[in-house]
Amino acid sequence: MSLVLFMSMVLSATPESWPGFLGQGATPIHPTTIPVSWSPNEHVAWSAKLPGKGQSSPVIWGDTVYVTAIDGTMKDRCLVTALNLASGKVVWEKNFDAEQKVRSNYFQSRSASTPVVDASGLYVFFETGNLIALSHAGDTLWQRSLTKDY
């Protein structure tokens, strides 16, 4: 099943960074530049079909938006997608085998937590126990299996 991500900010109001959940540590945005209403045709810069199931918030660093998702009946794959902030086009996609496979159901999260990003890279944690650091280019810097370690 695909997820559609809507970037509903007016591009001139887009921050240089939105590094974590709810914009913690984000570049300030002047409140008057934020739309207070939107529809499929109003205040939408772009939309993109994304793989997997996702509930994470997007994070922004420079001209890239990063999102995470999970895919598979047993939450088999952990997904990370980087998109161009201006166009919504996919820059790169990475997927990792889940360290702990658990049947996807409606009673627990069906996705991944919101990643965090800084000048050094992107950091993602999945409920499967995968903890991964990626460069802005999508290269794996390091990864750990907290399931195996603990």
Side-chain angles (χ1 to χ4, degrees), residues 26-93:
T27 306
I29 302 172
H30 194 278
T32 60
T33 63
I34 300 171
V36 292
S37 66
W38 62 89
S39 71
N41 301 316
E42 177 187 30
H43 295 123
V44 175
W46 51 263
S47 66
K49 289 189 183 238
L50 300 173
K53 296 184 187 292
Q55 296 170 324
S56 70
S57 294
V59 295
I60 299 169
W61 194 266
D63 62 354
T64 307
V65 178
Y66 302 96
V67 293
T68 57
I70 287 283
D71 197 26
T73 309
M74 294 296 292
K75 299 182 184 179
D76 306 293
R77 295 184 312 137
C78 303
L79 311 172
V80 183
T81 305
L83 302 108
N84 180 276
L85 180 61
S87 68
K89 296 206 182 309
V90 173
V91 176
W92 53 259
E93 291 179 322

Side-chain angles (χ1 to χ4, degrees), residues 74-127:
M74 294 296 292
K75 299 182 184 179
D76 306 293
R77 295 184 312 137
C78 303
L79 311 172
V80 183
T81 305
L83 302 108
N84 180 276
L85 180 61
S87 68
K89 296 206 182 309
V90 173
V91 176
W92 53 259
E93 291 179 322
K94 295 288 181 178
N95 70 70
F96 301 87
D97 288 334
E99 291 293 335
Q100 181 179 29
K101 295 180 172 44
V102 179
R103 181 167 302 286
S104 181
N105 65 66
Y106 292 103
F107 301 107
Q108 2 173 246
S109 171
R110 300 184 72 192
S111 184
S113 57
T114 299
V116 294
V117 63
D118 65 14
S120 299
L122 178 72
Y123 310 92
V124 296
F125 176 69
F126 294 91
E127 70 174 289

